[in-house]
Amino acid sequence: MVDDLRKYLNHLLEKVNGLHCILITDRDGVPLVRAVTERAPQLALRPNFISTFGMATDQASKLGLGRNKTIISMYSSYQVIQMNKLPLVVTFIGSDNCNTGHILSLESQIEPFLKDLAAVVADAP
Amino acid sequence: MQSDDEDTSLHSCFDSLKTAVMGCCYSICHKDTDPQENTVNERTHLLEVTEQQQETPVPAASASTPPRKPDEQSALNRILHETATNVIDVGALGPYALEAGAYSERVRVYSARVAGLGAAGAAAPRLLADLPHAERAALLAKPPLGAGDKDLITNAVKKAAAAISELRVEHHEDLVVPFRVP
């Protein structure tokens, strides 16, 4: 299954122009499945970068607007979109001019796989 | 701390007793001396309350005070806990990093478990799914459509095409409507 999923994520990477990587990790940034191109910034793939989202989404959920679902961070040459699928975190990294709406629309296509992966994380010690 | 709580609860009990006793005395005296008992003034109750009902809250309050204390304590703890979780204190979060050993251990566990999920997991959504060879051969070996069904389909498609070709836009009004613009 994991090979199929990786192939599918690579297929999604090719579909969205400017998307560099898709990571499915736990909230500490430990990867379960990842599809990465050579253009992806290595610093952003580190667990201590990805794990900040776990804390940020917790704090953002306290602002009185309900549960935080997605955080979009725009940088000078990259954009990072992280989705709260706790216990999983889905991270997309793309170029700054990549179509953000197109990336957000991938959520529904990745969603069917997340249930099984969440069970993997939930059972882990 | 606890003695202070007991003192305050004792004080509240005495206060309530005192007011109740004073109220009773007043009402008794009032009844005896006041000739205008049935007249309505600023001291008459809006709702008629019997003396028994007036007295009952005092023992009830004093009896329920000791068991209410743990409830109050737990309620206070709950409020404290909720407030602590609702506070946004980014400075207190600090940097968080998983230890290298724990990280590699978790990567190993995850990769083993994900590999163990097997092909039974959710398949990629696709419009045209591949069928196994035997099923495909069985489907292809079935007899073709009958001539009657083919005619029915052909006629239905011809009628639909004719109906679509007859669709016309009927012009009734001007496309540009002036809105009294000078």
Side-chain angles (χ1 to χ4, degrees), chain A residues 2-52:
Chain A
V2 67
D3 290 333
D4 289 343
L5 179 55
R6 199 170 291 126
K7 271 185 207 164
Y8 184 60
L9 293 184
N10 279 316
H11 167 67
L12 292 181
L13 275 185
E14 288 167 11
K15 259 178 43 173
V16 181
N17 199 17
L19 184 59
H20 298 330
C21 71
I22 304 173
L23 309 171
I24 301 176
T25 64
D26 69 356
R27 67 174 297 146
D28 294 327
V30 182
L32 278 88
V33 186
R34 46 187 262 175
V36 183
T37 65
E38 69 277 3
R39 286 165 294 166
Q42 292 302 309
L43 275 175
L45 305 180
R46 290 189 180 179
N48 49 6
F49 176 83
I50 294 166
S51 64
T52 53

mmCIF file of all heavy atoms in Angstrom, chain A residues 2-52:
data_model
loop_
_atom_site.group_PDB
_atom_site.id
_atom_site.type_symbol
_atom_site.label_atom_id
_atom_site.label_comp_id
_atom_site.label_asym_id
_atom_site.label_seq_id
_atom_site.Cartn_x
_atom_site.Cartn_y
_atom_site.Cartn_z
ATOM 1 N N VAL A 2 1.949 1.198 0.788
ATOM 2 C CA VAL A 2 2.765 2.407 0.931
ATOM 3 C C VAL A 2 3.425 2.793 -0.393
ATOM 4 O O VAL A 2 3.559 3.982 -0.702
ATOM 5 C CB VAL A 2 3.795 2.220 2.071
ATOM 6 C CG1 VAL A 2 4.839 1.178 1.741
ATOM 7 C CG2 VAL A 2 4.464 3.528 2.395
ATOM 8 N N ASP A 3 3.764 1.756 -1.205
ATOM 9 C CA ASP A 3 4.349 2.067 -2.511
ATOM 10 C C ASP A 3 3.312 2.717 -3.419
ATOM 11 O O ASP A 3 3.624 3.669 -4.148
ATOM 12 C CB ASP A 3 4.893 0.783 -3.151
ATOM 13 C CG ASP A 3 6.127 0.288 -2.411
ATOM 14 O OD1 ASP A 3 6.819 1.140 -1.818
ATOM 15 O OD2 ASP A 3 6.373 -0.930 -2.408
ATOM 16 N N ASP A 4 2.100 2.173 -3.353
ATOM 17 C CA ASP A 4 1.014 2.760 -4.153
ATOM 18 C C ASP A 4 0.777 4.212 -3.743
ATOM 19 O O ASP A 4 0.606 5.089 -4.592
ATOM 20 C CB ASP A 4 -0.283 1.968 -3.941
ATOM 21 C CG ASP A 4 -0.220 0.604 -4.581
ATOM 22 O OD1 ASP A 4 0.676 0.412 -5.433
ATOM 23 O OD2 ASP A 4 -1.034 -0.268 -4.224
ATOM 24 N N LEU A 5 0.782 4.418 -2.434
ATOM 25 C CA LEU A 5 0.531 5.771 -1.934
ATOM 26 C C LEU A 5 1.653 6.720 -2.364
ATOM 27 O O LEU A 5 1.395 7.859 -2.768
ATOM 28 C CB LEU A 5 0.423 5.737 -0.402
ATOM 29 C CG LEU A 5 0.189 7.072 0.291
ATOM 30 C CD1 LEU A 5 -1.035 7.771 -0.271
ATOM 31 C CD2 LEU A 5 0.011 6.864 1.788
ATOM 32 N N ARG A 6 2.889 6.218 -2.301
ATOM 33 C CA ARG A 6 4.018 7.069 -2.699
ATOM 34 C C ARG A 6 3.920 7.416 -4.190
ATOM 35 O O ARG A 6 4.144 8.559 -4.589
ATOM 36 C CB ARG A 6 5.334 6.347 -2.387
ATOM 37 C CG ARG A 6 6.518 7.307 -2.332
ATOM 38 C CD ARG A 6 7.749 6.639 -1.795
ATOM 39 N NE ARG A 6 7.639 6.303 -0.387
ATOM 40 C CZ ARG A 6 7.834 5.080 0.122
ATOM 41 N NH1 ARG A 6 8.142 4.079 -0.653
ATOM 42 N NH2 ARG A 6 7.742 4.874 1.421
ATOM 43 N N LYS A 7 3.537 6.407 -4.983
ATOM 44 C CA LYS A 7 3.361 6.646 -6.428
ATOM 45 C C LYS A 7 2.257 7.682 -6.655
ATOM 46 O O LYS A 7 2.383 8.576 -7.499
ATOM 47 C CB LYS A 7 2.957 5.332 -7.121
ATOM 48 C CG LYS A 7 4.128 4.496 -7.581
ATOM 49 C CD LYS A 7 3.592 3.301 -8.343
ATOM 50 C CE LYS A 7 4.566 2.140 -8.243
ATOM 51 N NZ LYS A 7 3.939 0.875 -8.639
ATOM 52 N N TYR A 8 1.204 7.528 -5.879
ATOM 53 C CA TYR A 8 0.067 8.441 -6.025
ATOM 54 C C TYR A 8 0.473 9.868 -5.646
ATOM 55 O O TYR A 8 0.107 10.830 -6.340
ATOM 56 C CB TYR A 8 -1.078 7.949 -5.140
ATOM 57 C CG TYR A 8 -2.332 8.749 -5.280
ATOM 58 C CD1 TYR A 8 -2.986 8.853 -6.501
ATOM 59 C CD2 TYR A 8 -2.882 9.405 -4.184
ATOM 60 C CE1 TYR A 8 -4.138 9.592 -6.634
ATOM 61 C CE2 TYR A 8 -4.037 10.146 -4.307
ATOM 62 C CZ TYR A 8 -4.660 10.234 -5.538
ATOM 63 O OH TYR A 8 -5.802 10.963 -5.671
ATOM 64 N N LEU A 9 1.257 10.002 -4.578
ATOM 65 C CA LEU A 9 1.710 11.338 -4.168
ATOM 66 C C LEU A 9 2.641 11.929 -5.234
ATOM 67 O O LEU A 9 2.574 13.130 -5.521
ATOM 68 C CB LEU A 9 2.439 11.255 -2.820
ATOM 69 C CG LEU A 9 1.583 10.882 -1.604
ATOM 70 C CD1 LEU A 9 2.429 10.933 -0.337
ATOM 71 C CD2 LEU A 9 0.387 11.796 -1.447
ATOM 72 N N ASN A 10 3.488 11.082 -5.823
ATOM 73 C CA ASN A 10 4.357 11.569 -6.904
ATOM 74 C C ASN A 10 3.531 12.015 -8.098
ATOM 75 O O ASN A 10 3.859 13.014 -8.747
ATOM 76 C CB ASN A 10 5.332 10.464 -7.319
ATOM 77 C CG ASN A 10 6.518 10.396 -6.382
ATOM 78 O OD1 ASN A 10 7.095 11.421 -6.009
ATOM 79 N ND2 ASN A 10 6.889 9.193 -5.965
ATOM 80 N N HIS A 11 2.440 11.268 -8.347
ATOM 81 C CA HIS A 11 1.541 11.640 -9.434
ATOM 82 C C HIS A 11 0.903 13.018 -9.157
ATOM 83 O O HIS A 11 0.796 13.862 -10.051
ATOM 84 C CB HIS A 11 0.472 10.550 -9.562
ATOM 85 C CG HIS A 11 -0.688 10.924 -10.403
ATOM 86 N ND1 HIS A 11 -0.584 11.133 -11.758
ATOM 87 C CD2 HIS A 11 -1.997 11.126 -10.088
ATOM 88 C CE1 HIS A 11 -1.775 11.452 -12.237
ATOM 89 N NE2 HIS A 11 -2.649 11.460 -11.245
ATOM 90 N N LEU A 12 0.538 13.239 -7.885
ATOM 91 C CA LEU A 12 -0.040 14.539 -7.516
ATOM 92 C C LEU A 12 1.000 15.648 -7.660
ATOM 93 O O LEU A 12 0.679 16.761 -8.074
ATOM 94 C CB LEU A 12 -0.558 14.500 -6.072
ATOM 95 C CG LEU A 12 -1.770 13.608 -5.798
ATOM 96 C CD1 LEU A 12 -2.168 13.694 -4.335
ATOM 97 C CD2 LEU A 12 -2.958 14.011 -6.661
ATOM 98 N N LEU A 13 2.241 15.323 -7.307
ATOM 99 C CA LEU A 13 3.320 16.317 -7.440
ATOM 100 C C LEU A 13 3.464 16.770 -8.894
ATOM 101 O O LEU A 13 3.690 17.950 -9.164
ATOM 102 C CB LEU A 13 4.650 15.703 -6.993
ATOM 103 C CG LEU A 13 5.018 15.727 -5.519
ATOM 104 C CD1 LEU A 13 6.420 15.189 -5.329
ATOM 105 C CD2 LEU A 13 4.944 17.134 -4.956
ATOM 106 N N GLU A 14 3.325 15.813 -9.801
ATOM 107 C CA GLU A 14 3.464 16.163 -11.221
ATOM 108 C C GLU A 14 2.272 16.987 -11.711
ATOM 109 O O GLU A 14 2.408 17.804 -12.610
ATOM 110 C CB GLU A 14 3.562 14.883 -12.058
ATOM 111 C CG GLU A 14 4.894 14.166 -11.879
ATOM 112 C CD GLU A 14 4.850 12.765 -12.467
ATOM 113 O OE1 GLU A 14 3.876 12.443 -13.173
ATOM 114 O OE2 GLU A 14 5.782 11.994 -12.186
ATOM 115 N N LYS A 15 1.114 16.733 -11.093
ATOM 116 C CA LYS A 15 -0.098 17.423 -11.550
ATOM 117 C C LYS A 15 -0.099 18.910 -11.201
ATOM 118 O O LYS A 15 -0.630 19.723 -11.945
ATOM 119 C CB LYS A 15 -1.334 16.772 -10.906
ATOM 120 C CG LYS A 15 -2.042 15.842 -11.858
ATOM 121 C CD LYS A 15 -3.222 15.127 -11.283
ATOM 122 C CE LYS A 15 -4.159 15.912 -10.428
ATOM 123 N NZ LYS A 15 -5.358 15.122 -10.063
ATOM 124 N N VAL A 16 0.489 19.245 -10.040
ATOM 125 C CA VAL A 16 0.444 20.645 -9.589
ATOM 126 C C VAL A 16 1.771 21.314 -9.949
ATOM 127 O O VAL A 16 2.829 20.903 -9.464
ATOM 128 C CB VAL A 16 0.189 20.721 -8.071
ATOM 129 C CG1 VAL A 16 0.111 22.173 -7.633
ATOM 130 C CG2 VAL A 16 -1.087 19.998 -7.722
ATOM 131 N N ASN A 17 1.672 22.314 -10.755
ATOM 132 C CA ASN A 17 2.866 23.013 -11.215
ATOM 133 C C ASN A 17 3.493 23.805 -10.065
ATOM 134 O O ASN A 17 2.816 24.610 -9.426
ATOM 135 C CB ASN A 17 2.470 23.950 -12.355
ATOM 136 C CG ASN A 17 3.660 24.361 -13.177
ATOM 137 O OD1 ASN A 17 4.698 23.718 -13.085
ATOM 138 N ND2 ASN A 17 3.502 25.406 -13.951
ATOM 139 N N GLY A 18 4.772 23.552 -9.778
ATOM 140 C CA GLY A 18 5.461 24.304 -8.724
ATOM 141 C C GLY A 18 5.417 23.647 -7.362
ATOM 142 O O GLY A 18 5.984 24.185 -6.401
ATOM 143 N N LEU A 19 4.750 22.498 -7.232
ATOM 144 C CA LEU A 19 4.716 21.802 -5.941
ATOM 145 C C LEU A 19 5.967 20.938 -5.816
ATOM 146 O O LEU A 19 6.288 20.159 -6.711
ATOM 147 C CB LEU A 19 3.447 20.936 -5.849
ATOM 148 C CG LEU A 19 3.200 20.205 -4.534
ATOM 149 C CD1 LEU A 19 3.105 21.186 -3.375
ATOM 150 C CD2 LEU A 19 1.907 19.397 -4.615
ATOM 151 N N HIS A 20 6.692 21.108 -4.695
ATOM 152 C CA HIS A 20 7.984 20.432 -4.539
ATOM 153 C C HIS A 20 7.896 19.159 -3.725
ATOM 154 O O HIS A 20 8.650 18.220 -3.966
ATOM 155 C CB HIS A 20 8.990 21.373 -3.868
ATOM 156 C CG HIS A 20 9.271 22.614 -4.663
ATOM 157 N ND1 HIS A 20 9.198 22.641 -6.031
ATOM 158 C CD2 HIS A 20 9.619 23.865 -4.269
ATOM 159 C CE1 HIS A 20 9.491 23.861 -6.455
ATOM 160 N NE2 HIS A 20 9.743 24.626 -5.405
ATOM 161 N N CYS A 21 7.052 19.141 -2.721
ATOM 162 C CA CYS A 21 6.986 17.912 -1.917
ATOM 163 C C CYS A 21 5.675 17.807 -1.161
ATOM 164 O O CYS A 21 5.007 18.811 -0.890
ATOM 165 C CB CYS A 21 8.171 17.798 -0.974
ATOM 166 S SG CYS A 21 8.143 18.945 0.372
ATOM 167 N N ILE A 22 5.334 16.563 -0.851
ATOM 168 C CA ILE A 22 4.172 16.268 -0.003
ATOM 169 C C ILE A 22 4.676 15.334 1.092
ATOM 170 O O ILE A 22 5.278 14.288 0.797
ATOM 171 C CB ILE A 22 3.039 15.571 -0.786
ATOM 172 C CG1 ILE A 22 2.607 16.413 -1.995
ATOM 173 C CG2 ILE A 22 1.852 15.303 0.115
ATOM 174 C CD1 ILE A 22 1.604 15.710 -2.898
ATOM 175 N N LEU A 23 4.467 15.725 2.327
ATOM 176 C CA LEU A 23 4.916 14.896 3.453
ATOM 177 C C LEU A 23 3.714 14.549 4.318
ATOM 178 O O LEU A 23 2.902 15.420 4.622
ATOM 179 C CB LEU A 23 5.918 15.655 4.329
ATOM 180 C CG LEU A 23 7.112 16.332 3.672
ATOM 181 C CD1 LEU A 23 7.812 17.196 4.688
ATOM 182 C CD2 LEU A 23 8.054 15.295 3.146
ATOM 183 N N ILE A 24 3.642 13.305 4.716
ATOM 184 C CA ILE A 24 2.659 12.907 5.726
ATOM 185 C C ILE A 24 3.470 12.451 6.936
ATOM 186 O O ILE A 24 4.222 11.484 6.865
ATOM 187 C CB ILE A 24 1.743 11.780 5.214
ATOM 188 C CG1 ILE A 24 1.008 12.240 3.951
ATOM 189 C CG2 ILE A 24 0.739 11.381 6.283
ATOM 190 C CD1 ILE A 24 0.157 11.164 3.307
ATOM 191 N N THR A 25 3.340 13.204 8.018
ATOM 192 C CA THR A 25 4.148 12.942 9.213
ATOM 193 C C THR A 25 3.246 12.842 10.437
ATOM 194 O O THR A 25 2.047 13.107 10.352
ATOM 195 C CB THR A 25 5.149 14.093 9.460
ATOM 196 O OG1 THR A 25 4.397 15.283 9.736
ATOM 197 C CG2 THR A 25 6.037 14.330 8.268
ATOM 198 N N ASP A 26 3.852 12.473 11.562
ATOM 199 C CA ASP A 26 3.103 12.602 12.817
ATOM 200 C C ASP A 26 3.323 14.019 13.327
ATOM 201 O O ASP A 26 3.997 14.825 12.689
ATOM 202 C CB ASP A 26 3.510 11.518 13.829
ATOM 203 C CG ASP A 26 4.909 11.705 14.363
ATOM 204 O OD1 ASP A 26 5.610 12.629 13.913
ATOM 205 O OD2 ASP A 26 5.318 10.927 15.243
ATOM 206 N N ARG A 27 2.756 14.351 14.499
ATOM 207 C CA ARG A 27 2.829 15.748 14.924
ATOM 208 C C ARG A 27 4.235 16.155 15.367
ATOM 209 O O ARG A 27 4.519 17.339 15.503
ATOM 210 C CB ARG A 27 1.796 16.066 15.996
ATOM 211 C CG ARG A 27 1.997 15.395 17.314
ATOM 212 C CD ARG A 27 0.990 15.907 18.318
ATOM 213 N NE ARG A 27 1.167 17.326 18.555
ATOM 214 C CZ ARG A 27 0.180 18.184 18.809
ATOM 215 N NH1 ARG A 27 -1.039 17.766 18.853
ATOM 216 N NH2 ARG A 27 0.423 19.441 19.055
ATOM 217 N N ASP A 28 5.135 15.192 15.554
ATOM 218 C CA ASP A 28 6.520 15.532 15.886
ATOM 219 C C ASP A 28 7.397 15.629 14.641
ATOM 220 O O ASP A 28 8.614 15.793 14.759
ATOM 221 C CB ASP A 28 7.091 14.479 16.837
ATOM 222 C CG ASP A 28 6.394 14.510 18.186
ATOM 223 O OD1 ASP A 28 6.000 15.610 18.605
ATOM 224 O OD2 ASP A 28 6.234 13.446 18.797
ATOM 225 N N GLY A 29 6.808 15.486 13.484
ATOM 226 C CA GLY A 29 7.564 15.631 12.250
ATOM 227 C C GLY A 29 8.217 14.356 11.769
ATOM 228 O O GLY A 29 9.030 14.393 10.830
ATOM 229 N N VAL A 30 7.882 13.231 12.393
ATOM 230 C CA VAL A 30 8.466 11.953 11.952
ATOM 231 C C VAL A 30 7.679 11.477 10.722
ATOM 232 O O VAL A 30 6.462 11.315 10.792
ATOM 233 C CB VAL A 30 8.389 10.890 13.071
ATOM 234 C CG1 VAL A 30 9.033 9.602 12.613
ATOM 235 C CG2 VAL A 30 9.030 11.409 14.327
ATOM 236 N N PRO A 31 8.375 11.282 9.579
ATOM 237 C CA PRO A 31 7.640 10.990 8.341
ATOM 238 C C PRO A 31 7.083 9.568 8.288
ATOM 239 O O PRO A 31 7.719 8.623 8.751
ATOM 240 C CB PRO A 31 8.700 11.198 7.266
ATOM 241 C CG PRO A 31 9.988 10.968 7.941
ATOM 242 C CD PRO A 31 9.823 11.372 9.364
ATOM 243 N N LEU A 32 5.873 9.453 7.730
ATOM 244 C CA LEU A 32 5.305 8.132 7.427
ATOM 245 C C LEU A 32 5.452 7.849 5.936
ATOM 246 O O LEU A 32 5.938 6.799 5.553
ATOM 247 C CB LEU A 32 3.831 8.078 7.827
ATOM 248 C CG LEU A 32 3.550 7.799 9.293
ATOM 249 C CD1 LEU A 32 3.519 9.075 10.084
ATOM 250 C CD2 LEU A 32 2.232 7.070 9.450
ATOM 251 N N VAL A 33 5.015 8.811 5.137
ATOM 252 C CA VAL A 33 5.159 8.699 3.686
ATOM 253 C C VAL A 33 5.573 10.065 3.167
ATOM 254 O O VAL A 33 5.077 11.087 3.663
ATOM 255 C CB VAL A 33 3.824 8.289 3.014
ATOM 256 C CG1 VAL A 33 4.039 8.037 1.536
ATOM 257 C CG2 VAL A 33 3.226 7.066 3.668
ATOM 258 N N ARG A 34 6.473 10.080 2.196
ATOM 259 C CA ARG A 34 6.849 11.378 1.629
ATOM 260 C C ARG A 34 7.152 11.238 0.146
ATOM 261 O O ARG A 34 7.677 10.222 -0.298
ATOM 262 C CB ARG A 34 8.037 11.988 2.380
ATOM 263 C CG ARG A 34 9.169 11.044 2.661
ATOM 264 C CD ARG A 34 10.195 11.692 3.541
ATOM 265 N NE ARG A 34 11.303 12.213 2.740
ATOM 266 C CZ ARG A 34 12.299 12.919 3.214
ATOM 267 N NH1 ARG A 34 12.315 13.248 4.493
ATOM 268 N NH2 ARG A 34 13.255 13.339 2.441
ATOM 269 N N ALA A 35 6.804 12.270 -0.586
ATOM 270 C CA ALA A 35 7.136 12.358 -2.002
ATOM 271 C C ALA A 35 7.838 13.694 -2.183
ATOM 272 O O ALA A 35 7.251 14.743 -1.925
ATOM 273 C CB ALA A 35 5.881 12.292 -2.854
ATOM 274 N N VAL A 36 9.108 13.624 -2.546
ATOM 275 C CA VAL A 36 9.941 14.835 -2.552
ATOM 276 C C VAL A 36 10.646 14.954 -3.889
ATOM 277 O O VAL A 36 11.155 13.962 -4.424
ATOM 278 C CB VAL A 36 10.994 14.755 -1.414
ATOM 279 C CG1 VAL A 36 11.816 16.027 -1.350
ATOM 280 C CG2 VAL A 36 10.325 14.502 -0.078
ATOM 281 N N THR A 37 10.672 16.156 -4.445
ATOM 282 C CA THR A 37 11.485 16.413 -5.640
ATOM 283 C C THR A 37 12.801 17.056 -5.202
ATOM 284 O O THR A 37 12.945 17.451 -4.039
ATOM 285 C CB THR A 37 10.767 17.363 -6.617
ATOM 286 O OG1 THR A 37 10.632 18.643 -5.970
ATOM 287 C CG2 THR A 37 9.390 16.862 -6.994
ATOM 288 N N GLU A 38 13.707 17.165 -6.125
ATOM 289 C CA GLU A 38 15.033 17.718 -5.759
ATOM 290 C C GLU A 38 14.976 19.223 -5.500
ATOM 291 O O GLU A 38 15.905 19.794 -4.934
ATOM 292 C CB GLU A 38 16.074 17.386 -6.837
ATOM 293 C CG GLU A 38 15.901 18.088 -8.171
ATOM 294 C CD GLU A 38 14.895 17.390 -9.078
ATOM 295 O OE1 GLU A 38 14.280 16.382 -8.664
ATOM 296 O OE2 GLU A 38 14.724 17.870 -10.205
ATOM 297 N N ARG A 39 13.863 19.854 -5.873
ATOM 298 C CA ARG A 39 13.757 21.307 -5.662
ATOM 299 C C ARG A 39 13.286 21.666 -4.252
ATOM 300 O O ARG A 39 13.254 22.824 -3.879
ATOM 301 C CB ARG A 39 12.782 21.904 -6.680
ATOM 302 C CG ARG A 39 13.340 21.994 -8.089
ATOM 303 C CD ARG A 39 12.235 22.246 -9.075
ATOM 304 N NE ARG A 39 11.327 21.091 -9.141
ATOM 305 C CZ ARG A 39 10.131 21.102 -9.695
ATOM 306 N NH1 ARG A 39 9.679 22.193 -10.230
ATOM 307 N NH2 ARG A 39 9.381 20.021 -9.722
ATOM 308 N N ALA A 40 12.882 20.671 -3.496
ATOM 309 C CA ALA A 40 12.358 20.948 -2.149
ATOM 310 C C ALA A 40 13.481 21.433 -1.228
ATOM 311 O O ALA A 40 14.579 20.871 -1.256
ATOM 312 C CB ALA A 40 11.734 19.687 -1.573
ATOM 313 N N PRO A 41 13.237 22.462 -0.418
ATOM 314 C CA PRO A 41 14.274 22.942 0.507
ATOM 315 C C PRO A 41 14.484 21.937 1.646
ATOM 316 O O PRO A 41 13.530 21.554 2.323
ATOM 317 C CB PRO A 41 13.689 24.253 1.039
ATOM 318 C CG PRO A 41 12.222 24.128 0.854
ATOM 319 C CD PRO A 41 11.995 23.225 -0.309
ATOM 320 N N GLN A 42 15.725 21.512 1.823
ATOM 321 C CA GLN A 42 16.008 20.454 2.807
ATOM 322 C C GLN A 42 15.704 20.895 4.240
ATOM 323 O O GLN A 42 15.337 20.088 5.074
ATOM 324 C CB GLN A 42 17.479 20.023 2.693
ATOM 325 C CG GLN A 42 17.800 19.307 1.391
ATOM 326 C CD GLN A 42 16.936 18.061 1.179
ATOM 327 O OE1 GLN A 42 16.837 17.219 2.069
ATOM 328 N NE2 GLN A 42 16.303 17.956 0.013
ATOM 329 N N LEU A 43 15.871 22.202 4.493
ATOM 330 C CA LEU A 43 15.613 22.693 5.859
ATOM 331 C C LEU A 43 14.157 22.491 6.268
ATOM 332 O O LEU A 43 13.854 22.205 7.423
ATOM 333 C CB LEU A 43 15.954 24.187 5.945
ATOM 334 C CG LEU A 43 17.406 24.540 6.221
ATOM 335 C CD1 LEU A 43 17.587 26.054 6.154
ATOM 336 C CD2 LEU A 43 17.826 24.025 7.583
ATOM 337 N N ALA A 44 13.288 22.639 5.304
ATOM 338 C CA ALA A 44 11.856 22.538 5.605
ATOM 339 C C ALA A 44 11.398 21.089 5.771
ATOM 340 O O ALA A 44 10.275 20.839 6.178
ATOM 341 C CB ALA A 44 11.048 23.206 4.502
ATOM 342 N N LEU A 45 12.270 20.149 5.454
ATOM 343 C CA LEU A 45 11.900 18.734 5.597
ATOM 344 C C LEU A 45 12.275 18.207 6.979
ATOM 345 O O LEU A 45 11.966 17.071 7.312
ATOM 346 C CB LEU A 45 12.598 17.890 4.520
ATOM 347 C CG LEU A 45 12.371 18.330 3.076
ATOM 348 C CD1 LEU A 45 13.107 17.408 2.121
ATOM 349 C CD2 LEU A 45 10.885 18.320 2.744
ATOM 350 N N ARG A 46 12.987 19.023 7.743
ATOM 351 C CA ARG A 46 13.444 18.572 9.066
ATOM 352 C C ARG A 46 12.268 18.476 10.042
ATOM 353 O O ARG A 46 11.344 19.277 9.985
ATOM 354 C CB ARG A 46 14.469 19.558 9.618
ATOM 355 C CG ARG A 46 15.776 19.507 8.876
ATOM 356 C CD ARG A 46 16.801 20.329 9.599
ATOM 357 N NE ARG A 46 18.073 20.303 8.916
ATOM 358 C CZ ARG A 46 19.132 20.965 9.332
ATOM 359 N NH1 ARG A 46 19.048 21.714 10.411
ATOM 360 N NH2 ARG A 46 20.265 20.888 8.677
ATOM 361 N N PRO A 47 12.357 17.511 10.955
ATOM 362 C CA PRO A 47 11.239 17.353 11.908
ATOM 363 C C PRO A 47 11.040 18.562 12.808
ATOM 364 O O PRO A 47 9.900 18.866 13.175
ATOM 365 C CB PRO A 47 11.629 16.113 12.720
ATOM 366 C CG PRO A 47 13.046 15.854 12.421
ATOM 367 C CD PRO A 47 13.334 16.438 11.083
ATOM 368 N N ASN A 48 12.130 19.267 13.165
ATOM 369 C CA ASN A 48 11.916 20.407 14.068
ATOM 370 C C ASN A 48 11.267 21.585 13.360
ATOM 371 O O ASN A 48 10.722 22.474 14.020
ATOM 372 C CB ASN A 48 13.208 20.828 14.769
ATOM 373 C CG ASN A 48 14.344 20.991 13.804
ATOM 374 O OD1 ASN A 48 14.132 20.903 12.597
ATOM 375 N ND2 ASN A 48 15.547 21.220 14.305
ATOM 376 N N PHE A 49 11.286 21.604 12.035
ATOM 377 C CA PHE A 49 10.507 22.611 11.295
ATOM 378 C C PHE A 49 9.038 22.196 11.242
ATOM 379 O O PHE A 49 8.144 23.000 11.536
ATOM 380 C CB PHE A 49 11.067 22.761 9.873
ATOM 381 C CG PHE A 49 10.265 23.698 9.002
ATOM 382 C CD1 PHE A 49 10.463 25.058 9.067
ATOM 383 C CD2 PHE A 49 9.295 23.202 8.140
ATOM 384 C CE1 PHE A 49 9.716 25.922 8.281
ATOM 385 C CE2 PHE A 49 8.553 24.052 7.350
ATOM 386 C CZ PHE A 49 8.759 25.411 7.424
ATOM 387 N N ILE A 50 8.804 20.941 10.908
ATOM 388 C CA ILE A 50 7.422 20.475 10.721
ATOM 389 C C ILE A 50 6.684 20.421 12.058
ATOM 390 O O ILE A 50 5.489 20.718 12.131
ATOM 391 C CB ILE A 50 7.438 19.098 10.033
ATOM 392 C CG1 ILE A 50 7.997 19.258 8.623
ATOM 393 C CG2 ILE A 50 6.050 18.493 9.957
ATOM 394 C CD1 ILE A 50 8.375 17.977 7.967
ATOM 395 N N SER A 51 7.416 20.082 13.138
ATOM 396 C CA SER A 51 6.739 19.913 14.429
ATOM 397 C C SER A 51 6.245 21.239 15.009
ATOM 398 O O SER A 51 5.387 21.226 15.890
ATOM 399 C CB SER A 51 7.672 19.233 15.422
ATOM 400 O OG SER A 51 8.786 20.057 15.690
ATOM 401 N N THR A 52 6.777 22.362 14.533
ATOM 402 C CA THR A 52 6.274 23.652 15.038
ATOM 403 C C THR A 52 4.795 23.846 14.686
ATOM 404 O O THR A 52 4.076 24.551 15.379
ATOM 405 C CB THR A 52 7.062 24.835 14.458
ATOM 406 O OG1 THR A 52 7.075 24.719 13.054
ATOM 407 C CG2 THR A 52 8.473 24.875 14.986
#
